[in-house]
Amino acid sequence: MATIRPLTAADLPALARRLQAGFPADGYDVDNLAEKVFGDADYDETLCLAATSAVGLEGGLIGVRRGPRAFVKALTTWPDEHLADVLLADFEARVRGLGASSVEIAASAPCYFLPGVDPTDTATLRFYQARGYERSRDAFNMTSDLTADLSTDDDEARLAAAGFQLRRLTAADQPALAQFMATHFSEGWLIETSLALRRQPVSCWLAWRQDQLVAFAADEVTNPGWFGPMGTDPAFRRHGLGRVLLRLCLQDLRSRGYRQAQIGWVGPWRFYQRHCGAVISRVFWQLRKEL
C-alpha cells in the first residue's frame, strides 16, 4: 500500500517521468514542475502530495488553494486509477478542511500547466466526471508557425515616428508594470510577467509613450515555448502595438530553437490568426466540483 506524504524536490524526476508517460502531449519537465510546485506564491506543502511505496514514487498530485477555490494542477498515478482516486479524495478532504468550497482541474492561473482537461483524453475526462466534476467553461490554445515571416522593422519604424518606444522589461520597470496591471489587467498577469526577468534576454517586451507604459507582451512565463500574456491600454489600441510586441516575442522563441509556439488560453483568436497565422490547435474543458 502506498504512503501519502508531501512532495519534495527529490521526487520531481520520477514524477516527470510518470506525467510524460500518462500525458505525452503535455511536455512535463523537471524545471517546469519545480516552478509550478515551489514557485507558486500560494504553495502549501500539504497540498502537493507524493504516493510512495517500497519501489519508489507511484504517483503524485500537485495542488493549490487560492481562497475558496482549490485546483488540481496535475495528477498522475498512471496506470493505477485506484491510487489516483485515493490521492484526489485526500486532496479534497484537505482543502475542504482549509475552507475551500470548490475544486477545479487545471486552470490554476497564475502558475498553471494547462487551461483545462483535453477532452480527447477520454480516460482522464471519464475519471473526473465519474467523481462529480462537471464541465463549467471551455478554453483553447493556438499554435503559431515560427518559420513564417515575423518581421517587424516597418512597424517598429512607424511606431517610433509616432512617439512610441519599444524595449525589454527591466527590474526598474516593476513599479510601473505593477500599476499598469492593477489598472488594466490583473495581479495574476503581473505575477506571470514578472517571471520574464529570470530569463536572459528578458522574455517580455514593453511599449511606452512619453514615459507611460501602454502595452506589454511576454513569452515562456507560463510554460516552455508558450506565448502570453499580453495586453494594451484601451486608450492606445488601434496603433498596432499588440501585433509588434507579439511578433517580437515570437522572434525570441524562434531564436531559442522553437519551430512552433503555443499561445495559451487564448481570448482574441482572430487577432492571432491575422497577425501570426496561428490556428486553434487544442481545446480544453474546465472541470469543477462543489465541495
Side-chain angles (χ1 to χ4, degrees):
M1 178 177 292
T3 299
I4 296 176
R5 59 163 174 77
L7 190 71
T8 70
D11 296 319
L12 297 187
L15 182 61
R17 288 193 293 272
R18 283 193 170 271
L19 285 165
Q20 290 160 4
F23 307 96
D26 298 332
Y28 293 98
D29 63 64
V30 172
D31 289 341
N32 200 26
L33 285 176
E35 181 178 290
K36 297 300 188 294
V37 176
F38 306 113
D40 194 317
D42 294 317
Y43 167 65
D44 179 342
E45 69 169 7
T46 69
L47 303 181
C48 296
L49 308 173
T52 62
S53 70
V55 299
L57 185 85
E58 297 200 15
L61 183 151
I62 301 172
V64 69
R65 181 178 66 89
R66 307 200 197 284
R69 302 169 67 191
F71 299 86
V72 175
K73 296 184 184 183
L75 167 62
T76 183
T77 56
W78 187 86
D80 186 344
E81 185 173 298
H82 172 71
L83 184 53
D85 210 10
V86 171
L87 276 171
L88 182 61
D90 189 296
F91 176 77
E92 290 176 351
R94 290 170 187 249
V95 296
R96 185 185 294 111
L98 293 171
S101 58
S102 66
V103 176
E104 299 171 52
I105 308 304
S108 60
C111 203
Y112 70 99
F113 292 109
L114 295 171
V117 174
D118 186 335
T120 65
D121 182 356
T122 308
T124 297
L125 186 63
R126 179 193 58 76
F127 171 83
Y128 284 116
Q129 289 196 327
R131 287 151 184 83
Y133 287 83
E134 298 180 349
R135 180 181 180 184
S136 60
R137 297 177 302 277
D138 293 350
F140 59 91
N141 284 6
M142 300 181 77
T143 298
S144 176
D145 178 5
L146 298 184
T147 67
D149 178 15
L150 298 171
S151 59
T152 58
D153 291 347
D154 290 345
D155 283 335
E156 289 186 66
R158 173 181 56 79
L159 289 171
F164 292 98
Q165 301 85 44
L166 308 181
R167 60 174 173 80
R168 294 183 191 272
L169 172 72
T170 70
D173 296 325
Q174 285 287 83
L177 182 65
Q179 182 59 52
F180 179 80
M181 293 297 192
T183 300
H184 300 293
F185 297 105
S186 69
E187 182 182 3
W189 276 14
L190 173 63
I191 291 170
E192 290 179 349
T193 303
S194 297
L195 295 175
L197 291 168
R198 298 181 180 180
R199 181 177 293 282
Q200 291 299 323
V202 171
S203 58
C204 175
W205 286 89
L206 305 178
W208 300 79
R209 179 81 177 276
Q210 297 177 347
D211 297 323
Q212 178 184 354
L213 177 58
V214 298
F216 81 99
D219 61 88
E220 293 210 287
V221 298
T222 54
N223 285 296
W226 285 36
F227 170 81
M230 72 170 293
T232 301
D233 179 335
F236 289 90
R237 291 174 183 166
R238 307 296 180 184
H239 290 280
L241 293 167
R243 165 190 163 93
V244 176
L245 296 181
L246 162 67
R247 288 183 162 215
L248 288 171
C249 285
L250 295 182
Q251 290 172 19
D252 284 348
L253 287 169
R254 182 167 60 192
S255 73
R256 295 184 210 122
Y258 293 103
R259 295 181 60 82
Q260 292 184 327
Q262 282 288 301
I263 305 173
W265 210 332
V266 172
W269 66 268
R270 291 180 180 86
F271 169 87
Y272 294 110
Q273 192 280 327
R274 185 167 62 250
H275 293 306
C276 66
V279 297
I280 295 172
S281 52
R282 293 190 73 183
V283 175
F284 301 92
W285 289 7
Q286 296 181 342
L287 306 179
R288 177 185 177 96
K289 177 180 179 179
E290 302 296 328
L291 295 177

